[in-house]
Amino acid sequence: MAGIKVRSQLCWRALKAKDAGLKAYQQALMPVIDKSFAEAELLAIDLEMTGLNASFDQILSIGVVPIRQGQLILSEAQHKLVQIEGSVGQSATIHGILDTHLDAALTPEQAMAWFLSVSEGKVLVAHHAPLDLAFLQSGLQACLGEKPRLLAIDTLLLEKQRLLRQQEHLQEGCLRLGRSRARYGLPVYAAHNALIDALACGELLLAQVAAMGGATKVKIAELLP
């Protein structure tokens, strides 16, 4: 049922899209829904932002790591810095990105065009996906005048569902990326770098899929919210 709902939403967005590139983007996602995890192409992503409100905060960096045939493709991982209006301010204490780092960064328009090109036909993967998607959709709408339907697997939601099947109550902070990875024996990585966090999220999804039965047995539709 989840696959049918998502496919209909993508179809509707594609029909409504005025931008030819955006129409093609939506159409390219439709065949992916019924594929197994091993057959589908995915893209683990993470963003660093000036804050957590997509209505007025801005994207500072985007990290992406492709997942193909159930494997992370590190040779194709990319990390892009994005120009902003004004200063990074106090947010620099979290992500370490300074105003001077953004002198040669992509413009928001360039960043959104790049993101669409690298993610076309791929299901996105993010930890707490609604936050990243809100910023990406806001950025794409500002550049294109239209809001796309981005398709994403949320590793936080998958972990929450798994833990709730095992216990009634969840401890505070147990769904954070680092603690979720620890339950699968994955190593500790430094946080708040978009590329490292994208890699960490991708590794977590591979472990989650393995626990669910393996890449050839788990369907993309089963992983979507």
Side-chain angles (χ1 to χ4, degrees), residues 105-128:
L106 299 179
T107 66
E109 293 77 14
Q110 290 171 332
M112 292 301 99
W114 165 79
F115 176 77
L116 282 180
S117 69
V118 298
S119 63
E120 184 169 340
K122 300 180 180 70
V123 177
L124 305 179
V125 181
H127 199 72
H128 190 25

Side-chain angles (χ1 to χ4, degrees), residues 14-172:
L15 287 171
K16 287 181 63 179
K18 297 176 183 177
D19 182 85
L22 193 54
K23 185 183 290 290
Y25 185 91
Q26 307 284 201
Q27 291 172 333
L29 285 171
M30 293 169 63
V32 183
I33 299 167
D34 295 321
K35 291 183 177 180
S36 71
F37 184 80
E39 295 170 324
E41 290 203 38
L42 302 94
L43 191 71
I45 66 165
D46 187 73
L47 311 180
E48 293 299 328
M49 301 85 74
T50 58
L52 300 177
N53 192 322
S55 297
F56 53 81
D57 289 313
Q58 302 172 74
I59 298 172
L60 288 165
S61 67
I62 307 173
V64 301
V65 182
I67 301 173
R68 191 177 303 130
Q69 295 180 343
Q71 297 182 357
L72 291 157
I73 311 300
L74 300 184
S75 62
E76 296 178 22
Q78 297 187 62
H79 182 239
K80 302 292 184 182
L81 293 174
V82 186
Q83 294 176 13
I84 62 169
E85 293 183 8
S87 171
V88 299
Q90 291 299 311
S91 69
T93 60
I94 297 174
H95 47 64
I97 299 172
L98 305 177
D99 292 333
T100 53
H101 294 156
L102 303 179
D103 291 342
L106 299 179
T107 66
E109 293 77 14
Q110 290 171 332
M112 292 301 99
W114 165 79
F115 176 77
L116 282 180
S117 69
V118 298
S119 63
E120 184 169 340
K122 300 180 180 70
V123 177
L124 305 179
V125 181
H127 199 72
H128 190 25
L131 179 63
D132 294 297
L133 296 189
F135 275 87
L136 289 168
Q137 288 175 327
S138 178
L140 289 166
Q141 187 167 27
C143 295
L144 300 174
E146 300 179 68
K147 183 182 289 187
R149 172 71 160 86
L150 299 176
L151 201 58
I153 295 166
D154 187 351
T155 51
L156 184 151
L157 180 59
L158 289 179
E159 194 63 9
K160 180 179 180 180
Q161 292 169 340
R162 186 181 77 86
L163 291 179
L164 285 174
R165 287 193 293 268
Q166 298 176 353
Q167 58 199 61
E168 285 188 38
H169 303 290
L170 302 182
Q171 294 181 349
E172 184 177 351

